Amino acid sequence: MRQPLISVIVAIYKVEPYLRKCIDSVINQTYPNIELILVNDASPDNSLAICREYAERFSNIKIIDKPNGGQSTARNAALDIASGDYIGFVDGDDWIEPNMYEQMLYIMEKSDADIVQCGWFIEEPSGERFLKCEDKYCEEYSSDQALDELIEHIGGHLNTSVCSKLFKREIAMAFRFLPVRAYEDDDFVFKTCSVAHKIICVDTPLYNYYHREGSTMTSVFNLNKIALVTIQESICELIQARYPKRFDLVQRYLCSKQFFILACLLKHKHLPLAAKYASTLESKIKASYDGYIRNPQMGRNKVMLRVFKYTPRFIWKFILLSKFS
């Protein structure tokens, strides 16, 4: 009987010191039928040479070498050629436990799930390693329940990381990552959960996340993080069409994130194009004002919206910067 093929996608950019450990952890899985797709996103270090070295030794490794476009475009390029019945993702500076995909595939097939999520460890640069969550749990979600959890965080453990998950092919292949350079996992997980009939979350820690200083998510504010708004806009569109009873809430989150990013842009006005992006965001908030004010879930955002609309710019700017100081 044919064993299902798992395609594991690793997007690579400036991770040379960690890459061998990452690749070794996938190649040495207890589950044998794995296709490893390494995507070099124009990394300026020796990452591509390392990938080629491994590809010469292992026939199940594919390499994509592409111009720099960010992790989203790298993952999308891999999805375009992935052959697997199941799809997994590993970041190039992380690694996985030897039995990760054997365990997750077992759960997937036993429960007939579309998505399975495992627990994970975090390792600090100091070498300290600890569990992200010490709770014991095994949770099952329908699509609606998964969206409720992702939107409201109502006590479950489902999250928006793609790396802690295994996806059925038809679920993963239905979508692509938005071409942004931060928060891209959020949109992809929302969309895949919106079409999945069953999602399973288990507490078993099988993924290892390296908390690297200077990575996309640990760095100080930069223009890549404007994607927070782009991603929330996409989630709003999804929820309005797929699960409208939660739209007011996700629209409130969008408004909050718009104000937060606007404050960051005003605070970091020295960044190239910050003034341009701030102006665009101001216009978006003003264009959405009527809909936002009518939203019964908008809460205290309504106060800031009225200040934003009815006071001079220097006043609302001062209040906004004070709010997010």
Side-chain angles (χ1 to χ4, degrees), residues 76-219:
N76 289 342
L79 285 170
D80 289 342
I81 68 164
S83 303
D85 304 290
Y86 299 93
I87 308 293
F89 300 90
V90 179
D91 284 347
D93 50 357
D94 299 337
W95 72 100
I96 58 179
E97 295 298 312
N99 62 340
M100 174 168 167
Y101 287 119
E102 181 179 22
Q103 291 272 329
M104 295 181 78
L105 181 58
Y106 173 78
I107 296 168
M108 181 84 77
E109 294 188 326
K110 181 181 178 181
S111 60
D112 189 29
D114 292 315
I115 303 170
V116 173
Q117 174 189 296
C118 66
W120 68 98
F121 293 101
I122 293 178
E123 182 171 312
E124 298 289 350
S126 64
E128 180 186 5
R129 185 169 178 251
F130 59 91
L131 282 172
K132 170 65 176 177
C133 177
E134 296 185 355
D135 294 349
K136 298 297 181 185
Y137 57 88
C138 181
E139 300 165 348
E140 178 180 317
Y141 300 86
S142 67
S143 180
D144 286 359
Q145 289 169 336
L147 292 175
D148 284 336
E149 180 60 36
L150 293 173
I151 292 167
E152 295 198 77
H153 309 292
I154 52 180
H157 295 84
L158 181 64
N159 61 57
T160 55
S161 167
V162 299
C163 291
S164 59
K165 294 176 176 63
L166 185 64
F167 300 84
K168 273 188 178 176
R169 176 182 179 85
E170 56 267 31
I171 298 295
M173 289 298 183
F175 305 101
R176 291 296 184 267
F177 291 86
L178 290 183
V180 295
R181 292 178 181 263
Y183 310 107
E184 63 277 358
D185 284 23
D186 295 26
D187 182 70
F188 192 82
V189 170
F190 262 89
K191 286 176 176 175
T192 50
C193 285
S194 75
V195 298
H197 80 281
K198 185 186 290 186
I199 301 100
I200 302 290
C201 294
V202 296
D203 60 6
T204 311
L206 298 169
Y207 191 88
N208 293 277
Y209 169 72
Y210 183 65
H211 190 239
R212 178 167 61 97
E213 294 301 323
S215 67
T216 302
M217 299 312 298
T218 62
S219 60

Side-chain angles (χ1 to χ4, degrees), residues 254-266:
L254 172 60
C255 181
S256 296
K257 291 174 182 181
Q258 286 176 324
F259 277 134
F260 170 69
I261 293 298
L262 179 57
C264 290
L265 289 167
L266 294 172

